[in-house]
Amino acid sequence: MRNLLVFFMAAAFLPLAGCERLSRQPAPFGGGATVPSQSAFALNTVNTITLYDEGYPHIYHAVFARLHELEGKLSMFDADSYVSRINAAAGVEAVQVHPDVFYVIERAVFYAEISGGAFDPTIAPLTMLWGITGDAPRVPSQQEIDGLLPLVNWRNIELDPETQSVFLREHGMAIDLGAIAKGYAADEVAAVIRRAGVPRAMIDLGGNVLLVGAIEEGRPWRIGLQSPFGERGAFFGILQTEETSVVTSGVNERYFTAGGIHYHHIFSPFSGRPAESGLLSVTIITGVSMDADALSTSAFVLGQERGRAFIEGINGAQAIFVTEDMSVYLTSGLTAGVDFILIDSSFRLAN
Ligand code: AMP
Ligand code: MG
């Protein structure tokens, strides 16, 4: 029996570990209607966009149109998406894709390589076997896991930049971009927002947060970091930061319980099971949201020690690790009490 995390608390299903803006009022501006924030379901989560200035309906419309367009290209659950077409052609032929899709897969392969395979976009056979993103998740047998593990290997993704085509070498292989697509979508939404001339905005794609501009001159943004226990909106700490992206991977983002055991959605590509790295969550802070997204999943699988060394080696990235023994570890670029403020006394700062 695997010693997975057992929680004795009844936690509601949380779409993703969340961050929440702590300052709520949109700035006054002249003319037109102010729309403080708007939400929509896409990419398997609730997405909330807050335009603090220039919150015109047509800008929100453009933002959500871009989100839905990306979902239609990148989701493995949409039979018409490029990802589904790549998966259906595994072992048979290469599929020419849209530049958005080629770029995300190219970056996913890059992160697979630098994380030593802890991040692996070919994890789909396992995520589907466990049904972790669906309505009926289950614990498969070891035999079933062992049968699919050889298909999980990012080195068998063949990318041809000339033709912008993607080929999965083995029949049965499949790509799942769930650990990186929200990050890319956040970056793309930010591009729409910036092009529209909006100076201050918060993009929150189910906890994958990207800040645009400064919330107030001379003051940092204050982002509540979702506690790995408890309800959405229960924070264990506050991050004070300039314009950046803040992305969390954690055990309570998406999970199911069976026989009193908590099975979360971040898989070890090596064991074929929910990663048991000793972590409850990892939050990554870095400018590009796609990088933060890929790095948070990578660091979660790697665990506190290896994950921290990994993030320290990446220019411009910082991280906050929460371990099962309720310790919080910060990378060297973050100062406790300044950048990160611990507010839940059941956790302790470990460095
Ligand atoms: P995140 O919340 O960004 O850490 O992404 C987790 C999601 O990415 C899961 O729901 C799976 O769809 C997928 N996934 C799980 N484990 C991995 C992994 N080791 N590498 C890449 N994607 C993964
Ligand atoms: Mg991720």
Side-chain angles (χ1 to χ4, degrees):
M1 194 68 205
R2 309 283 298 188
N3 180 25
L4 284 169
L5 298 168
V6 182
F7 291 146
F8 298 102
M9 44 202 316
F13 176 86
L14 300 170
L16 272 177
C19 306
E20 189 174 280
R21 78 192 142 93
L22 297 177
S23 38
R24 289 175 187 281
Q25 71 288 14
F29 75 103
T34 305
V35 186
S37 75
Q38 282 190 14
S39 298
F41 194 84
L43 296 165
N44 220 0
T45 194
V46 177
N47 305 279
T48 303
I49 311 294
T50 309
L51 305 178
Y52 292 90
D53 317 275
E54 316 281 328
Y56 298 107
H58 73 275
I59 304 178
Y60 280 110
H61 181 81
V63 160
F64 288 111
R66 181 69 177 131
L67 259 183
H68 289 300
E69 182 197 339
L70 285 172
E71 176 179 41
K73 287 175 179 162
L74 297 168
S75 169
M76 68 167 177
F77 300 109
D78 180 337
D80 294 329
S81 75
Y82 286 102
V83 167
S84 294
R85 282 186 246 167
I86 294 166
N87 292 347
V92 180
E93 60 184 2
V95 174
Q96 194 172 14
V97 299
H98 187 278
D100 280 330
V101 181
F102 193 84
Y103 181 61
V104 175
I105 296 175
E106 199 172 47
R107 293 299 286 167
V109 168
F110 169 77
Y111 279 105
E113 183 160 19
I114 68 166
S115 69
F119 181 94
D120 194 326
T122 65
I123 200 85
L126 287 172
T127 51
M128 287 192 276
L129 175 69
W130 287 76
I132 195 75
T133 30
D135 296 334
R138 69 181 181 97
V139 183
S141 70
Q142 190 59 45
Q143 207 179 4
E144 287 176 287
I145 294 170
D146 291 344
L148 293 180
L149 265 177
L151 294 172
V152 178
N153 186 352
W154 61 273
R155 291 175 197 277
N156 285 331
I157 302 177
E158 222 171 272
L159 292 173
D160 184 350
E162 284 282 296
T163 57
Q164 295 276 297
S165 60
V166 184
F167 177 50
L168 305 181
R169 288 201 188 105
E170 302 289 330
H171 183 76
M173 272 182 81
I175 286 179
D176 172 351
L177 298 175
I180 190 168
K182 280 198 295 294
Y184 180 67
D187 294 326
E188 288 300 296
V189 163
V192 171
I193 289 172
R194 289 197 175 101
R195 270 201 302 272
V198 178
R200 298 182 300 160
M202 176 183 278
I203 300 156
D204 180 351
L205 310 187
N208 191 314
V209 169
L210 180 55
L211 307 167
V212 174
I215 185 66
E216 218 178 302
E217 212 180 298
R219 280 184 190 270
W221 290 89
R222 302 183 79 228
I223 305 294
L225 300 179
Q226 171 69 43
S227 169
F229 303 107
E231 303 286 321
R232 185 173 167 84
F235 303 137
F236 74 95
I238 293 173
L239 182 74
Q240 302 203 112
T241 180
E242 303 302 310
E243 177 177 19
T244 193
S245 183
V246 185
V247 176
T248 299
S249 285
V251 296
N252 65 343
E253 293 174 4
R254 200 180 295 285
Y255 64 86
F256 69 100
T257 10
I261 299 175
H262 178 107
Y263 297 95
H264 63 75
H265 72 145
I266 304 164
F267 284 82
S268 160
F270 311 109
S271 71
R273 295 174 168 276
E276 293 176 70
S277 61
L279 289 176
L280 295 175
S281 75
V282 184
T283 299
I284 303 287
I285 302 115
T286 195
V288 177
S289 201
M290 175 163 58
D291 295 339
D293 196 1
L295 289 171
S296 69
T297 311
S298 308
F300 188 95
V301 174
L302 290 170
Q304 187 271 122
E305 264 184 54
R306 288 166 64 212
R308 204 143 59 102
F310 174 63
I311 300 300
E312 292 283 3
I314 291 173
N315 215 352
Q318 300 301 333
I320 300 164
F321 291 82
V322 182
T323 56
E324 283 170 15
D325 67 359
M326 310 294 277
S327 300
V328 178
Y329 294 83
L330 310 178
T331 48
S332 55
L334 294 177
T335 306
V338 179
D339 307 306
F340 173 78
I341 297 145
L342 188 66
I343 57 171
D344 182 341
S345 59
S346 43
F347 296 89
R348 64 180 176 89
L349 271 165
N351 61 342

